[in-house]
Every structure is written in C-alpha cells, then in structure tokens.
Amino acid sequence: MRERGVLVWRRIPDLERPQRGFSEATEEEQWKEKWGCGGGAFSCLSMAGKKEKKEFSPTSDQLLKHPLALLAFVPKDAALFAAGAIAGAAAKSITAPLDRVKLLMQTHGVRVGQESAKKAIGFIEAIALIGKEEGIKGYWKGNLPQVIRIIPYSAVQLFAYETYKKLLQGKDGELSVVGRLVAGACAGMTSTLVTYPLDVLRLRLAVEPGCRTMSEVALNMLRDEGIASFYNGLGPSLLGIAPYIAVNFCIFDLVKKSLPEKYQKRTETSLATALVSATLATLMCYPLDTVRRQMQMRGTPYKTVLDAFPGIVARDGLIGLYRGFVPNALKNLPNSSIRLTTFDTVKGLIAASEKEFKRIVEENHEKQNQSTST
C-alpha cells in the first residue's frame, strides 16, 4: 500500500548542551548532544505513516460480481444480533402449536385442582381439545407475545454467549469446557432476566380463558396482582435456563469442534449436533421448567422452588415433573436446531465475506503494483 510521510520540524529554544564530557553524560543527554544543532538548540524529526485503507476497496462492479463481499460492510456484532433475532422468531412460529399443547399439559394440575393426577390431560387429548374449542387459530394463541419476546431473547442470548466466550477465553485464545459452561449459563440468565415479563404474559394469554390481547392480560395482572406478578417464578426460570443453555451450547460447540474440519461447515452437521445437545439439555432441565410454569399461574399455591417440587410430586407423582415432555421435546429439538444452525450459518457467511473482501482488496493492490511497474 502507498504511504505518505508527514514531516514535522520544531525548534526548542533555551535547551543547553551538557557541560560534562560526552562519555560522562547520561543516556538522555548523550542522545540530545548527538542530535543537537548549533547554539544549544534542539531539533526533533518524527515521521508518521498514513495508510490509505480505502484505496483498494472493491468497486461497485466488483461487488455486483461478488455480492458476498457486501456483508463485510455490515458490522459483525449487528449481523450476529440480527441473525439471532430472525432465527428465534422463525423457530418459535413453526413450533407454536406444540408449545401451546405443552403449556396446557404442564399447567393442568393447577387449573383443575387437587385431583389432577386422576384427570391428567394427554398429548392427543390436548391437541383435540384446542382444535374443538378454539379452531386452527387456537394452536397459535399466545404466539405474538412469544415472538415479540423471542426476538430480543434469542438475539441477546446468542450474542451474549459469543461475548462471554471472548471474555472467558485464555491468553492463547482457547476456551475450556468450564468456560463454555459458564458462558452459556450467563448468556441464558441474561436473556431470561431481560425478557421475563413477556414470558409470563405469553403463558397467561395461552392458558387463561377470557383474555383476548396481551395488553388486556398485562392490565389485569397489574390491577389484581401488582407488578411483582410479572416476575413470579423468576428464580426457577434462572435456575432452569442456566444449566439448559450451558449444556446445550457447550455440547454443540464441543461436538462440532471434535469433528473433521470438512464436516464442521456442513448444515446437516449443525442440525444433527443441535439435536443431540438439545435432547441432553432438555432431559436434565425439564422438571425446573414445569415448576416455573406452575409458579407463574394465577392462584398458585407455591411461593418458592422448595415448596413447588414436593407439592407437584405429592399431587401428581414424579411423572408430574415431566408433564408435557413429549410436545416440549418435539418443539425444542427443531427449535434449537433452527436457532443454532441459522446462527452458525450466519457466522460462516460473515467469515466468508471477510475473506472475499480481503481477496478483492489484495487483487486490486496487485493490479496497482503491476500498473506502477509498467
């Protein structure tokens, strides 16, 4: 690249030469003596280089021929944030019917009373009930607040995970297994804390009769239960999401990293890896999700996690902690796969665009050098 030199010459008056011999002077005095210029004056010569970074940037014609390079102009953090938001919204909308079924099964005990163990609603029964009472639209009831919530939730979670990984990586740039788990746990708690009131609204809208809109649910909760009701169940939510995201993201990263390089960039590899990581994380953390949902309900008898666990087991048995697990698994597996695969694909596109941009710049530089030589 071309460089431009900037010459600065400044005289400093009243700077005396050292009185001692050159060999006896300090290192600073020797340097000043060596570069001094008559009459005790001192001069300093400094040069600064300025690179013309944009000189070899791709032209409009080159960008039309290589559109991937256009992505290099988008700030990397903004691209990752947007990718997380889009992936989350798409995944939630696709799996909304299964989520509605899961919520009805999870909260059945609180809604029907103490005899819920004898009146447990099954997966097929829940699907039929929604269709009979509410029609096709019923399967997507509560999806709007869920999408509104998932856009910041997914974006914050995936972006925070990348940020926490950078903060926790060692001097060699490597991240330990513990570091990945901590990064995932912190990312999950950060996104949950930011969007939790929307999650409560979505649940109330999905399972409580008589509420038509999200604003109506919010006003009723604020009037009847106070602002604290928007954070009911926050404790088990944080406890549940931290290990879930930690295990999910950590397994996804480690499995992908352990595969041969030629397989790592394939979309089907990301999908399969995401399915494995989501399955293991769901099995470990689902009981806390059931506790969270029952604590979010109006009139819940549970005030703390320690009350909820024995209460659910006493009323519904151990199976009560896994109510709605099948639709949740069917929902979470494609949901997690879509999110992680989309995010992973965008990261790959960003890296590819940076390489393409750099290649064009180097090509333009080489052409300029050849033209100058000629």
Side-chain angles (χ1 to χ4, degrees):
M1 289 203 174
R2 293 180 178 179
E3 294 185 359
R4 292 182 180 178
V6 180
L7 181 62
V8 179
W9 182 273
R10 184 171 57 185
R11 298 182 64 83
I12 305 177
D14 301 325
L15 184 62
E16 297 182 356
R17 293 172 178 266
Q19 300 298 318
R20 291 171 288 173
F22 186 83
S23 61
E24 299 175 357
T26 64
E27 183 177 353
E28 182 181 358
E29 290 173 337
Q30 290 179 12
W31 191 85
K32 292 177 179 178
E33 172 67 8
K34 181 178 179 181
W35 291 96
C37 61
F42 176 77
S43 61
C44 177
L45 180 66
S46 66
M47 296 188 70
K50 182 181 179 181
K51 295 183 178 179
E52 299 293 335
K53 294 183 179 179
K54 296 183 179 180
E55 188 174 356
F56 304 110
S57 294
T59 63
S60 56
D61 289 339
Q62 287 176 318
L63 290 174
L64 287 173
K65 291 178 70 175
H66 306 281
L68 183 60
L70 282 169
L71 190 57
F73 288 99
V74 180
K76 185 176 180 179
D77 289 344
L80 292 176
F81 197 86
I86 294 169
K92 280 296 179 185
S93 295
I94 292 170
T95 59
L98 288 169
D99 196 39
R100 179 83 201 282
V101 170
K102 183 205 75 165
L103 290 177
L104 288 180
M105 293 177 69
Q106 273 187 314
T107 59
H108 181 73
V110 172
R111 287 185 291 109
V112 302
Q114 296 298 318
E115 299 299 320
S116 66
K118 299 177 182 178
K119 301 179 182 179
I121 187 171
F123 180 46
I124 302 299
E125 186 182 355
I127 293 175
L129 183 64
I130 294 171
K132 180 181 178 181
E133 294 185 354
E134 304 176 61
I136 297 296
K137 290 183 179 179
Y139 294 105
W140 277 269
K141 185 180 179 182
N143 187 55
L144 178 59
Q146 177 72 329
V147 170
I148 293 172
R149 166 188 168 269
I150 205 63
I151 288 176
Y153 178 83
S154 183
V156 169
Q157 189 178 94
L158 293 167
F159 181 75
Y161 181 57
E162 294 297 316
T163 302
Y164 286 127
K165 283 200 299 184
K166 290 178 183 177
L167 292 174
L168 294 170
Q169 67 186 13
K171 294 180 180 179
D172 57 355
E174 292 295 322
L175 188 64
S176 65
V177 174
V178 173
R180 292 180 191 277
L181 289 171
V182 172
C186 290
M189 289 190 290
T190 299
S191 56
T192 298
L193 191 62
V194 170
T195 61
Y196 192 75
L198 284 170
D199 189 39
V200 177
L201 287 176
R202 189 268 303 211
L203 172 76
R204 294 292 185 92
L205 187 62
V207 302
E208 291 188 0
C211 294
R212 299 293 182 182
T213 65
M214 188 166 59
S215 59
E216 184 182 351
V217 175
L219 289 173
N220 288 341
M221 287 177 62
L222 196 60
R223 183 184 63 247
D224 300 336
E225 304 171 66
I227 196 168
S229 62
F230 290 92
Y231 291 91
N232 286 344
L234 179 60
S237 295
L238 294 176
L239 290 174
I241 200 65
Y244 176 79
I245 298 299
V247 172
N248 195 357
F249 284 8
C250 182
I251 292 175
F252 180 80
D253 279 351
L254 292 177
V255 173
K256 279 288 293 288
K257 192 176 180 180
S258 66
L259 295 173
E261 190 172 349
K262 65 178 181 178
Y263 296 112
Q264 290 182 12
K265 297 180 180 179
R266 293 185 178 181
T267 303
E268 56 268 31
T269 300
S270 295
L271 285 168
T273 305
L275 283 171
V276 171
S277 61
T279 300
L280 294 176
T282 302
L283 281 169
M284 292 173 60
C285 306
Y286 190 80
L288 278 170
D289 188 54
T290 298
V291 168
R292 171 171 67 107
R293 294 305 184 187
Q294 296 208 14
M295 288 183 68
Q296 287 176 341
M297 292 291 295
R298 182 197 296 266
T300 178
Y302 311 124
K303 300 299 181 184
T304 67
V305 179
L306 296 178
D307 292 335
F309 265 109
I312 294 172
V313 172
R315 188 185 63 234
D316 298 338
L318 286 175
I319 193 68
L321 294 173
Y322 282 90
R323 284 262 175 87
F325 179 81
V326 173
N328 182 73
L330 293 174
K331 171 187 74 79
N332 268 356
L333 298 187
N335 192 327
S336 181
S337 298
I338 292 169
R339 287 179 63 222
L340 289 176
T341 302
T342 301
F343 193 67
D344 209 44
T345 301
V346 171
K347 286 203 301 182
L349 284 174
I350 292 171
S353 70
E354 290 173 348
K355 288 182 180 179
E356 185 71 8
F357 187 91
K358 186 177 179 181
R359 185 191 65 77
I360 295 173
V361 168
E362 290 175 350
E363 186 179 287
N364 291 345
H365 187 197
E366 185 65 27
K367 288 179 180 179
Q368 182 66 35
N369 286 343
Q370 291 176 359
S371 177
T372 303
S373 300
T374 303

